[in-house]
Amino acid sequence: MDRVNASTSSASNSSASTSSASASSAPASSAPADDPARAAFAALRTPEGGRLLADLRDHDPADELATATRLRRTYPAELVSAALGQARLRQRAEAKFGADDAYRMFFTPDGVEQATRTSVAAHRAARFAGLGVRSVADLCCGIGGDAIALARAGISVLAVDRDPLTAEVARANADALGLAGLIEVRCADVTEIDASSYDAVFVDPARRGGRGRIFDPEAYSPPLSWATAAALRAPRAALKIAPGVPHEAIGPEAEAEWISVGGEVKEAVLWFGEGFAPGAFRATLLPSGATLSAPAPLPAPPVGPVGRYLYEPDGAVIRSHLVADVVERCGGRLVDETIAYVTGDEPYSSPYVSGYEITDQLPFNMKKLKALLRERQVGVLTVKKRGSAVEPEELRRRMKLSGPNSATVFLTRVAGAPTMLVGRPLR
């Protein structure tokens, strides 16, 4: 992500023809004294800073005051403060990068939040590598998460970010993970980079501003139109966008892919160039790698009454508008033309859906649901909803659950009417 402050999004990688260890590992002393953030980061990269970070690896944030007091007896107060902040970031980053990498890498607050998680970056790098890509210009590289994945796939990367601190963090991460020979980090405005000598371009525009998340693609930094133009100039390209992007904002030149991890949609990617399918839509589920695609938007699926079984499509399938494909595969129908719940009369197993056997269908009525759950001795209730304003926690509170059994309730609409469907997961 290309931005003027320390907040960053995904990571970037190495250079095609000019990568070198010296380019990727700037000395810690290079930070100017008038830039407190860069000076603090430089201090963390000294031997003393390294020892302090190692000491803080397993510290409990709840004991931070006592820890800070103890450490200030040995280390300068400014260094302790910087190290505690970095330790907190590393703990947050573990979920995305895994403990082995997270506790060797460096982060900024926005960098942790916006960086691509390792499994998604590795999937993207594998698609590039599978097409013979050997060099990538990673524009808006952030702290280097994508660059790291590309380099580990054997691809050399030029990683570009215009924020000096972010670029230094990306260099440090390449060095810490032994990838400095494949990753060149350059602090520059991505709009001024000539990427014509690279096999592919990856662009991750900044989607956050001073007031939070940006929803207008033309308000990205750089705008989606510029990123698309840069992608179209390259032999191959990938453009990371928000998963909620309107389909009408996606040009016909791109193959659009939505990626979920453990059922949660994490991002969307637009693919351009040789080896991709312009106009196609794709849903990819990680960690399994299962992928579903269609060459063009599908016609609206049929709608009908609730059958014995209900299927909840993965979020990536829903975002990519491929629910109609699932309906066709299971021989089912939608419960409502505006709701992404699929129903059928036969059991169906697929990585793209979670299946449930429906035992009861009720009009929306809290008292009737409470009586039913009491009769079934339901003490554990999973609440799912589509097309309902009711909050799951509020519903559970009002049910006053008690008993040894469990159930799942779906708050939704069936043929336009507010409805409660009660059931259990298919084994």
Side-chain angles (χ1 to χ4, degrees):
M1 163 182 315
D2 190 29
R3 49 174 59 200
V4 295
N5 57 29
S7 63
T8 55
S9 145
S10 70
S12 174
N13 298 261
S14 80
S15 136
S17 56
T18 59
S19 63
S20 66
S22 60
S24 293
S25 52
S29 60
S30 62
D34 60 350
D35 188 331
R38 292 175 67 192
F41 177 65
L44 291 177
R45 299 196 67 201
T46 64
E48 185 179 38
R51 289 192 298 271
L52 181 52
L53 285 173
D55 191 8
L56 286 170
R57 171 166 177 150
D58 298 319
H59 97 286
D60 184 351
D63 297 330
E64 190 163 295
L65 181 59
T67 300
T69 301
R70 171 178 61 83
L71 292 174
R72 283 171 181 159
R73 300 188 189 107
T74 306
Y75 300 98
E78 295 81 1
L79 180 59
V80 171
S81 179
L84 284 168
Q86 190 61 223
R88 289 193 297 271
L89 295 176
R90 285 179 166 183
Q91 289 178 345
R92 288 171 54 192
E94 186 176 350
K96 285 188 174 182
F97 291 90
D100 187 53
D101 282 354
Y103 288 100
R104 291 188 288 165
M105 294 172 66
F106 297 89
F107 302 95
T108 64
D110 284 356
V112 170
E113 181 176 348
Q114 299 173 41
T116 304
R117 66 180 52 230
T118 294
S119 59
V120 177
H123 163 74
R124 188 161 42 235
R127 288 202 77 183
F128 270 140
L131 292 172
V133 170
R134 306 306 302 161
S135 62
V136 171
D138 180 358
L139 308 179
C140 313
C141 71
I143 62 167
D146 278 284
I148 290 164
L150 289 165
R152 284 174 168 168
I155 298 171
S156 63
V157 187
L158 170 66
V160 184
D161 200 286
R162 72 180 179 185
D163 174 56
L165 174 60
T166 301
E168 288 180 16
V169 171
R171 286 192 191 97
N173 289 336
D175 187 54
L177 299 179
L179 299 170
L182 280 171
I183 300 176
E184 175 196 356
V185 179
R186 189 180 301 175
C187 184
D189 187 326
V190 298
T191 63
E192 299 174 359
I193 295 295
D194 179 6
S196 60
S197 64
Y198 294 84
D199 295 342
V201 166
F202 173 64
V203 189
D204 180 9
R207 296 180 299 280
R208 283 185 177 273
R211 296 184 178 180
R213 191 177 300 277
I214 297 171
F215 296 98
D216 178 7
E218 284 307 296
Y220 292 173
S221 178
L224 180 60
S225 57
W226 180 91
T228 300
L232 290 171
R233 289 193 297 268
R236 294 184 180 91
L239 170 55
K240 179 179 173 181
I241 58 175
V245 66
H247 278 225
E248 55 269 24
I250 300 171
E253 311 91 346
E255 174 189 310
E257 178 182 29
W258 281 260
I259 303 171
S260 67
V261 179
E264 183 180 352
V265 181
K266 292 301 181 182
E267 67 178 63
V269 188
L270 302 183
W271 297 95
F272 301 83
E274 185 179 353
F276 305 112
F281 294 85
R282 178 182 298 272
T284 298
L285 284 54
L286 299 178
S288 71
T291 187
L292 187 67
S293 64
L298 299 173
V303 179
V306 177
R308 181 176 178 183
Y309 301 99
L310 190 76
Y311 302 104
E312 180 182 28
D314 182 272
V317 173
I318 296 172
R319 291 283 192 178
S320 57
H321 292 188
L322 292 174
V323 173
D325 189 296
V326 170
V327 171
E328 182 177 354
R329 287 168 182 259
C330 74
R333 54 205 176 264
L334 297 182
V335 301
D336 185 278
E337 63 180 359
T338 65
I339 301 295
Y341 282 141
V342 180
T343 188
D345 304 309
E346 300 294 334
Y348 171 71
S349 177
S350 164
Y352 307 111
V353 300
S354 298
Y356 299 83
E357 183 177 12
I358 299 302
T359 57
D360 301 274
Q361 178 176 343
L362 308 170
F364 187 87
N365 186 298
M366 290 286 195
K367 290 183 178 180
K368 288 184 178 180
L369 179 62
K370 184 176 180 180
L372 176 66
L373 297 177
R374 183 185 300 115
E375 176 187 334
R376 302 282 170 81
Q377 296 184 304
V378 172
V380 177
L381 183 67
T382 300
V383 182
K384 293 178 172 288
K385 67 170 192 169
R386 289 194 186 282
S388 173
V390 177
E391 291 300 324
E393 288 303 324
E394 172 64 12
L395 183 140
R396 273 191 288 264
R397 185 187 66 79
R398 293 178 63 177
M399 292 301 102
K400 296 184 167 57
L401 301 167
S402 177
N405 300 321
S406 61
T408 300
V409 62
F410 296 86
L411 308 178
T412 188
R413 292 193 302 271
V414 173
T419 304
M420 296 175 163
L421 303 175
V422 182
R424 51 179 171 263
L426 288 176
R427 295 185 181 276

